[in-house]
Amino acid sequence: MSSSSSVDTGRMADAIRFLAADAVEKAKSGHPGMPMGMAEIAVALWTRHLRHNPANPQWPGRDRFVLSNGHGSMLQYALLHLTGYDLSLQEIENFRQLHSKTPGHPEIHVTPGVETTTGPLGQGLANAVGMALAEKLLAAEFNRDDALVVDHHTYVFLGDGCLMEGISHEACALAGTWRLGKLIALYDDNGISIDGDVKGWFTDDTAERFRAYGWQVIGPIDGHDVDAVDRAIEQAKADLVQPSLIICRTTIGRGAPTRAGTAKAHGEALGTDELAATRKALGWEYAPFEIPADLYAAWNARDAGAKAESQWNERLVTYRKSHAAPAAEFERRLAGELPANFAELAAKLVADANAKAETVATRKASQYALEALAPAVPEMLGGSADLTHSNLTLWKGAPLLSGGGTGRHISYGVREFGMAAIMNGIALHGGYIPFGGTFLTFSDYSRNAIRMAALMNLRVIHVFTHDSIGLGEDGPTHQSIEQVSSLRLIPNLEVWRPCDTVETAVAWKLALLCKNAPTALALSRQNLPFVPRSEAQIAAIERGGYVLAEADGGVPQRVLIATGSEVGLALAAKKLLEGEGIATRVVSMPSTEAFDRQDAAYRAEVLPRDVRKIAVEAGTTALWWKYVGLDGAVVGIDRFGESAPAGKLFEFFGFTPENVARIAKGE
């Protein structure tokens, strides 16, 4: 925290206003209204409450700040610049320009001090819920009476749009249930969205809605009164049980003579004349991007941040001395490193799966992996969106998180999107590797949060079961046809569709090792046969695609490529083809992403260019043509399913050894 007592807080707020307005004006693009309207709220939080260190944005003891209404990104960039982060004035002037540190919406890994990538409204708020949950669980696990090494708040700015998005209901209901008392949300209640005055489409009683969730609701207060916001934050911090919503009444575009309070201020540059009039109205006599020295001094948080971090470091030293084992575990977890014996654990998991040679559903194989890994990898934090006993994400002895308590398995309720975005927040906070389950078809609900995890390089694991028409009688509403291919289209998302216990074990191992990308596991409801492999083949699973069964004589005339439940089908078709003298290779390709990363020589070795190739997967066909070529074929489904027993459906849609063999022959 810095001190604003010796400088007029109105001028401090105006520094934000004009940095934002000037940057948007220069870019001819952006959203000046929110930064201009929330400037005083930012002064109160960032100079009187927020504990952070601009010199070390990743200091673990810091408070977390999330800008859920991320379209107002210039508010955050102005704050980071003014308080002393490595964000130069030149970067402010380069707002929204190629390769600048000030992109259109806040992005982690781009701008120092940004905690999460925001823009899709409501998700930042859900991320903040995940951060606050991680803080609470880590505190319960590691704090001792003589050393509080986990003790910080999560603050989030949000607007009307965040509250209109349904994800806000999913996440905020859970925050109240979980009693996340260190979560404090400041709501920019300006009544304006892009289409104008929200009274025509947003008439919710927001205060009563949040009270019903179990939140403390403060206000409405005057969001342009720094002292009033300061007092409200103090009140919020005093309640360590209920999360707090502070309703701040503001005027969007405050200070702009003709744009203030209008939709025009939301997403358009003010224009030269309006910006000049705003300077005159507010008495701001400085040129664009000019901030006087006294305001820089008032905003500077480097000294206060260094002191706060130093005090935390002293507590950590005491903690190490008094509690050496938990201290080492705490630091390992925050560093994102897996336990020292993880390689041994994973190798045993794979070897045991191979030795047991069980025919089970891959969702059950996934539970076997959890039973082996979760007790030894305490950072694994599981859950399911009301389908725990179908997704099989629970392991024996897992402590259940219930109400305001703690635990390692979370019942998220029927909240797929909220679960996915909360898991992103947990991963962003650090200390845990979150995973959560639902049916694959419901990945559509959580898709944008999955995309955001991929964009942010987060280690988050999605357990998607019931991955095809194999779920049977529930019919086309629940049968996944396009979802696997759709997920494969998301950059930096690792998608695995294993065919048996061994491939599932390998997929879990790689998901946990993957520090810079999320993973989606597509798992079957129905039992799938175990496939014997050599040690070399087991090792090759990690390459995403490999020769599972070589052609008679070693020179294939056909190559069948399959994933998941269709691998067994391909093996049966191979027998038929070879019975007719057609040498056939079967390639299992549980991960197209991993296979595509292999060098050209390996890919050509597995999929020879001069051999007819047929892909077999119970889903849409479009993706597979790049592997089989124009002379190949794809056995798939390009229509919605039917309600019937799984066996009947596979037969109806042509997923039989006879049909695959017929197509392979070109009949």
Side-chain angles (χ1 to χ4, degrees):
M1 297 180 293
S2 60
S3 173
S4 59
S5 59
S6 61
V7 176
D8 177 13
T9 55
R11 290 181 66 231
M12 295 181 71
D14 287 344
I16 294 173
R17 288 191 175 93
F18 286 101
L19 281 175
D22 288 337
V24 172
E25 186 65 30
K26 183 175 181 182
K28 302 301 181 187
S29 170
H31 300 75
M34 185 279 267
M36 297 176 75
M38 293 194 78
E40 283 84 6
I41 301 171
V43 171
L45 175 62
W46 278 67
T47 69
R48 301 185 184 182
H49 296 278
L50 191 71
R51 187 174 59 180
H52 64 116
N53 185 4
N56 184 8
Q58 297 304 309
W59 161 46
R62 70 194 183 280
D63 291 332
R64 300 324 195 251
F65 173 76
V66 174
L67 191 75
S68 189
N69 41 356
H71 55 273
S73 57
M74 264 311 306
L75 173 68
Q76 188 163 17
Y77 301 150
L79 288 165
L80 294 169
H81 170 70
L82 290 168
T83 55
Y85 284 78
D86 182 19
L87 192 67
S88 68
L89 194 60
Q90 183 63 49
E91 294 291 351
I92 299 294
E93 294 191 51
N94 286 339
F95 178 55
R96 288 187 165 223
Q97 303 310 300
L98 184 64
H99 303 316
S100 75
K101 291 184 181 180
T102 49
H105 292 83
E107 296 182 41
I108 63 168
H109 311 311
V110 173
T111 312
V114 168
E115 299 281 4
T116 179
T117 299
T118 57
L121 292 176
Q123 285 199 62
L125 176 56
N127 294 165
V129 172
M131 292 176 186
L133 177 63
E135 191 275 344
K136 177 176 180 175
L137 296 179
L138 281 174
E141 186 174 352
F142 288 104
N143 281 349
R144 302 295 185 267
D145 291 340
D146 60 341
L148 301 181
V149 290
V150 183
D151 184 20
H152 55 263
H153 285 82
T154 300
Y155 297 98
V156 55
F157 282 3
L158 62 125
D160 292 307
C162 294
L163 295 180
M164 283 187 259
E165 291 285 0
I167 191 174
S168 70
H169 166 69
E170 298 182 28
C172 292
L174 285 169
T177 297
W178 293 335
R179 299 175 191 169
L180 301 180
K182 289 186 178 179
L183 173 63
I184 299 174
L186 294 107
Y187 166 33
D188 179 29
D189 183 12
N190 61 39
I192 295 293
S193 69
I194 291 175
D195 280 355
D197 191 326
V198 300
K199 289 179 182 176
W201 51 86
F202 184 50
T203 58
D204 304 22
D205 188 335
T206 297
E208 289 306 310
R209 170 186 164 189
F210 274 76
R211 288 191 183 100
Y213 294 151
W215 287 54
Q216 173 185 210
V217 177
I218 302 170
I221 64 170
D222 181 356
H224 300 299
D225 183 336
V226 172
D227 292 333
V229 178
D230 177 26
R231 290 191 296 270
I233 296 172
E234 286 288 1
Q235 182 181 340
K237 288 164 70 175
D239 190 338
L240 296 179
V241 176
Q242 297 181 106
S244 294
L245 178 73
I246 303 173
I247 302 175
C248 304
R249 291 276 166 80
T250 65
T251 299
I252 193 171
R254 180 177 170 87
T258 68
R259 294 286 184 92
T262 72
K264 279 281 190 182
H266 186 283
E268 299 179 17
L270 295 181
T272 304
D273 293 343
E274 182 76 359
L275 190 49
T278 305
R279 277 184 155 78
K280 184 176 180 181
L282 294 178
W284 188 258
E285 300 175 351
Y286 309 103
F289 304 107
E290 180 183 352
I291 303 295
D294 65 326
L295 288 182
Y296 271 124
W299 272 109
N300 194 308
R302 280 184 164 255
D303 289 345
K307 181 179 179 181
E309 182 175 356
S310 177
Q311 291 171 341
W312 183 83
N313 286 335
E314 290 174 6
R315 289 201 300 274
L316 185 60
V317 169
T318 299
Y319 187 65
R320 288 188 188 122
K321 290 178 180 177
S322 302
H323 312 284
E329 175 70 3
F330 175 66
E331 294 185 83
R332 176 190 71 77
R333 298 260 294 270
L334 288 185
E337 301 298 334
L338 291 169
N341 66 339
F342 179 77
E344 179 184 341
L345 286 168
K348 185 176 187 304
L349 168 67
V350 174
D352 286 350
N354 190 52
K356 290 177 182 176
E358 292 183 89
T359 291
V360 296
T362 50
R363 62 172 174 159
K364 186 64 178 177
S366 172
Q367 189 178 44
Y368 289 163
L370 290 174
E371 296 284 3
L373 295 173
V377 185
E379 57 265 47
M380 292 177 68
L381 181 62
S384 183
D386 202 51
L387 293 167
T388 299
H389 299 293
S390 292
N391 299 146
L392 303 182
T393 54
L394 190 61
W395 65 96
K396 290 172 185 166
L400 305 180
L401 189 151
S402 179
T406 60
R408 289 185 59 200
H409 191 277
I410 303 167
S411 291
Y412 286 95
V414 188
R415 300 181 178 98
E416 295 88 357
F417 191 9
M419 174 179 72
I422 287 170
M423 288 198 297
N424 288 350
I426 292 168
L428 285 160
H429 182 279
Y432 291 104
I433 301 173
F435 65 91
T438 188
F439 290 172
L440 178 59
T441 194
F442 301 140
S443 64
D444 291 343
Y445 282 139
S446 50
R447 182 180 178 85
N448 200 259
I450 298 169
R451 181 179 185 272
M452 294 299 287
L455 180 61
M456 291 190 279
N457 305 324
L458 300 181
R459 180 161 47 181
V460 174
I461 302 169
H462 292 272
V463 179
F464 293 126
T465 67
H466 297 60
D467 70 340
S468 71
I469 57 172
L471 65 86
E473 292 88 344
D474 277 341
T477 60
H478 285 54
Q479 290 166 4
S480 302
I481 301 301
E482 75 277 18
Q483 280 78 10
V484 171
S485 285
S486 177
L487 290 171
R488 289 173 179 145
L489 294 176
I490 298 176
N492 198 43
L493 174 64
E494 300 291 306
V495 181
W496 286 83
R497 189 170 186 248
C499 75
D500 68 355
T501 55
V502 175
E503 286 191 357
T504 305
V506 171
W508 261 109
K509 166 192 167 183
L510 296 179
L512 289 167
L513 285 169
C514 188
K515 295 179 69 172
N516 297 311
T519 299
L521 306 177
L523 307 171
S524 74
R525 178 197 184 207
Q526 71 274 29
N527 288 345
L528 303 183
F530 170 80
V531 183
R533 296 172 182 81
S534 67
E535 289 297 321
Q537 287 174 313
I538 292 174
I541 294 172
E542 297 189 15
R543 306 188 79 165
Y546 63 102
V547 177
L548 178 62
E550 187 53 282
D552 280 354
V555 180
Q557 296 170 284
R558 299 289 187 276
V559 175
L560 303 180
I561 312 166
T563 79
S565 50
E566 286 67 70
V567 169
L569 172 62
L571 291 170
K574 167 185 165 67
K575 289 183 179 180
L576 295 178
L577 288 165
E578 295 196 331
E580 297 184 39
I582 302 172
T584 303
R585 170 186 290 181
V586 173
V587 170
S588 178
M589 194 177 290
S591 173
T592 59
E593 294 78 21
F595 182 73
D596 289 348
R597 286 195 296 270
Q598 305 307 309
D599 59 60
Y602 177 79
R603 286 182 279 122
E605 179 185 341
V606 174
L607 302 177
R609 293 193 181 105
D610 56 349
V611 179
R612 178 172 163 82
K613 293 176 279 293
I614 299 89
V616 188
E617 185 174 67
T620 51
T621 62
L623 173 141
W624 289 105
W625 291 101
K626 77 173 186 177
Y627 298 104
V628 301
L630 295 177
D631 296 330
V634 182
V635 181
I637 308 176
D638 287 319
R639 53 153 288 188
F640 294 114
E642 299 276 354
S643 179
K648 294 290 185 181
L649 289 171
F650 279 109
E651 182 179 354
F652 175 77
F653 284 107
F655 290 94
T656 64
E658 293 77 12
N659 189 52
V660 172
R662 180 184 65 79
I663 291 173
K665 289 185 290 184
E667 296 178 358

